[in-house]
Amino acid sequence: MTGICSENSSNEILAFDRKHLWHPYTSMINPLPVFEVESASGVRIKLRDGPELIDGMASWWSVIHGYSHPKLVAAIQEQAETLSHVMFGGLTHKPAVELGRKLVELTPEGLDRVFFCDSGSVAVEVAMKMALQYFHAKGRPEKCTFATVRSGYHGDTFHAMSVCDPVTGMHHIFSGVLPTYHFAPKPGCTFHGYWDADDMRPLKNLLEKHHDSLCALILEPIVQGAGGMRFYHANYLKEARRLCDTFDVLLIADEIATGFGRSGKMFGCEHSSVSPDILCLGKALTGGMLSLAATITTEHIATTISAGDPGVFMHGPTFMANPLACRVAIESIEVLLADNWQGTIGVIESGLQEGLEPCRDFSHVTDVRCLGAIGVVELVRPVEMGAIQRRFVDHGVWVRPFGRLVNLMPPYCIGKEDLALLCRAVVNVVAEES
Ligand SMILES: *Cc1c(COP(=O)(O)O)cnc(C)c1O
């Protein structure tokens, strides 16, 4: 290709993409279809030479304020002109400090030592390393394994994979090289259902049996995301906190999907009024503008780690606390807090409930559930991703199901009418799946 005026045709772009670029979880022999995006604004994704789609995914939970939000765009532009990046070893800057201050204020009580990192999976790795170093520093190095529950998802890097559901967590082929940790069954009681104290028994037995070798229990608070899109009972998390205290096991809350209002509370932990020992944030932290994550812990854990051997916490990513990402994260939090976000999420929740309700009548649908700005339609059989994806696009929406699950987690700025259109498209496409 030569000449500054030659613009790739959409076909050329798609052909190169198909041949040379990996997409998430896809084949290079038989790739799923991809669509070229020209731009995106608000809740609409504009395809090249194609329609505008109403976005039902918020780009995997992250774009909570919609695309190209003017305040977030301005924040990045301004920041780029003064300081776009500088190493965090030996240097600091206002965006990191201001964001740290905001996160300490916003997150559950006691969490006040912030480690910035680059992505959700890395935030989980950092959390797991903190738990390991903590017990190492306490002279209990034998407490070096992890517990979790089935149906969870914590990321794609190696140690994060080891606590994902071995089946639904997408990583079963790596089981031979992953450490084997302790899995309790998935929580049985649903968020809106009755509480049965017996639901805790398997986790209690597990901690009772293995606490001498356990450093932490890692959970997604209330909402299990990519591992099954399940909403479990608030008492489960409350009891899990209590069990962790009883057995001297740290509680790691992976709020990478649930953070920043998605479940109806600022953080999922708030449904159960618990504070974890370590909290992981990512996804919506920057309003979806840049990759940034944070692992936040308590003064006690941070000082214990620092008092032990080797006297420091052993992690330090190149792009730690990137100023552009920190600055836009500050802006995203301000935009969220300036809105009546709880009211907004409540309106989305009712809109999802009402709009997805017709799916309940389909015999090939086993469940329809909503919590906060999350809607889930669970089918009897797995969908055929390539085909169903195209039908959603034909219906003017961007929805990406996986397995038996059709999920909606739209940007919070979606209006009532767009939400109704989005739900209608889901009802129509799901109807065709029978
Ligand atoms: C997405 C996700 C991760 C991994 O985050 P990445 O940024 O994709 O590495 C970890 N935990 C949960 C709960 C997630 O939803």
Side-chain angles (χ1 to χ4, degrees):
M1 292 273 303
T2 54
I4 45 168
C5 294
S6 71
E7 216 183 284
N8 285 343
S9 79
S10 190
N11 283 343
E12 277 173 306
I13 287 186
L14 291 176
F16 187 93
D17 181 286
R18 194 175 171 82
K19 185 161 177 200
H20 296 283
L21 306 186
W22 291 103
H23 283 261
Y25 290 94
T26 49
S27 161
M28 278 246 149
I29 299 170
N30 186 22
L32 294 169
V34 297
F35 303 89
E36 187 190 342
V37 176
E38 191 173 82
S39 61
S41 173
V43 292
R44 285 189 160 66
I45 298 174
K46 168 85 178 71
L47 297 186
R48 174 147 174 200
D49 309 324
E52 284 191 333
L53 307 176
I54 299 174
D55 177 32
M57 303 301 294
S59 285
W60 282 331
W61 316 81
S62 66
V63 184
I64 51 175
H65 307 303
Y67 299 88
S68 309
H69 190 289
K71 288 198 167 147
L72 304 197
V73 172
I76 287 200
Q77 284 172 338
E78 241 178 72
Q79 187 60 43
E81 281 164 19
T82 29
L83 177 65
S84 56
H85 184 63
V86 70
M87 62 189 279
F88 209 54
L91 299 170
T92 193
H93 44 78
K94 205 164 140 202
V97 171
E98 296 273 296
L99 178 58
R101 200 193 303 279
K102 275 199 162 21
L103 292 177
V104 167
E105 268 172 30
L106 209 58
T107 51
E109 174 142 19
L111 297 166
D112 64 359
R113 303 295 151 114
V114 184
F115 190 101
F116 289 116
C117 42
D118 351 52
S119 73
S121 301
V122 175
V124 168
E125 299 283 334
V126 166
M128 294 175 88
K129 284 173 77 171
M130 281 180 180
L132 288 167
Q133 270 201 245
Y134 171 74
F135 282 107
H136 191 271
K138 290 223 308 182
R140 303 279 318 269
E142 73 284 2
K143 278 170 80 72
C144 62
T145 68
F146 293 87
T148 186
V149 294
R150 295 289 305 268
S151 257
Y153 176 78
H154 298 286
D156 288 354
T157 54
F158 263 83
H159 241 73
M161 282 199 290
S162 71
V163 285
C164 289
D165 187 287
V167 179
T168 64
M170 307 184 272
H171 304 311
H172 61 278
I173 69 148
F174 299 106
S175 57
V177 288
L178 292 176
T180 315
Y181 291 139
H182 303 286
F183 286 83
K186 63 193 176 201
C189 296
T190 61
F191 185 82
H192 296 102
Y194 289 108
W195 171 242
D196 174 4
D198 278 351
D199 204 16
M200 281 329 284
R201 197 173 294 159
L203 186 64
K204 177 163 184 274
N205 291 345
L206 192 160
L207 292 195
E208 221 160 42
K209 188 162 170 209
H210 296 291
H211 65 92
D212 278 340
S213 67
L214 284 172
C215 63
L217 168 69
I218 179 166
L219 295 175
E220 294 156 280
I222 306 299
V223 178
Q224 293 190 294
M229 297 301 292
R230 306 178 75 258
F231 311 141
Y232 64 84
H233 202 286
N235 283 356
Y236 191 96
L237 185 60
K238 211 185 274 254
E239 285 298 303
R241 170 73 274 182
R242 212 178 47 78
L243 289 171
C244 283
D245 290 339
T246 305
F247 293 109
D248 194 20
V249 169
L250 299 181
L251 177 63
I252 301 175
D254 178 351
E255 297 248 14
I256 291 163
T258 43
F260 303 101
R262 183 57 70 177
S263 72
K265 301 275 187 189
M266 184 58 79
F267 299 103
C269 283
E270 294 175 19
H271 288 286
S272 310
S273 310
V274 304
S275 284
D277 299 296
I278 306 175
L279 175 76
C280 301
L281 299 176
K283 290 201 162 101
L285 176 57
T286 64
M289 293 292 273
L290 282 169
S291 181
L292 180 71
T295 307
I296 312 177
T297 191
T298 61
E299 177 186 4
H300 169 66
I301 291 172
T303 52
T304 304
I305 289 172
S306 308
D309 172 42
V312 297
F313 179 60
M314 302 294 282
H315 206 91
T318 306
F319 284 94
M320 187 167 183
N322 170 259
L324 279 178
C326 288
R327 175 67 193 278
V328 76
I330 296 167
E331 199 64 39
S332 175
I333 293 170
E334 278 174 6
V335 168
L336 183 63
L337 296 179
D339 182 36
N340 166 21
W341 61 271
Q342 273 178 306
T344 303
I345 305 272
V347 170
I348 295 175
E349 184 173 59
S350 349
L352 287 169
Q353 270 160 356
E354 195 180 307
L356 297 176
E357 187 62 25
C359 290
R360 277 190 206 282
D361 295 336
F362 304 148
S363 59
H364 61 294
V365 167
T366 60
D367 192 25
V368 177
R369 49 186 183 266
C370 302
L371 179 66
I374 313 167
V376 182
V377 179
E378 186 166 345
L379 309 183
V380 174
R381 285 179 304 278
V383 300
E384 206 207 303
M385 173 96 98
I388 198 171
Q389 184 86 86
R390 249 185 221 296
R391 286 204 300 284
F392 278 122
V393 169
D394 291 342
H395 280 79
V397 299
W398 182 248
V399 177
R400 189 166 176 85
F402 63 92
R404 299 185 296 109
L405 301 166
V406 178
N407 310 311
L408 295 181
M409 47 263 198
Y412 302 164
C413 61
I414 192 165
K416 270 185 142 170
E417 278 168 30
D418 283 340
L419 186 57
L421 287 171
L422 178 63
C423 291
R424 200 166 314 142
V426 168
V427 172
N428 289 335
V429 171
V430 168
E432 294 161 17
E433 281 288 298
S434 69

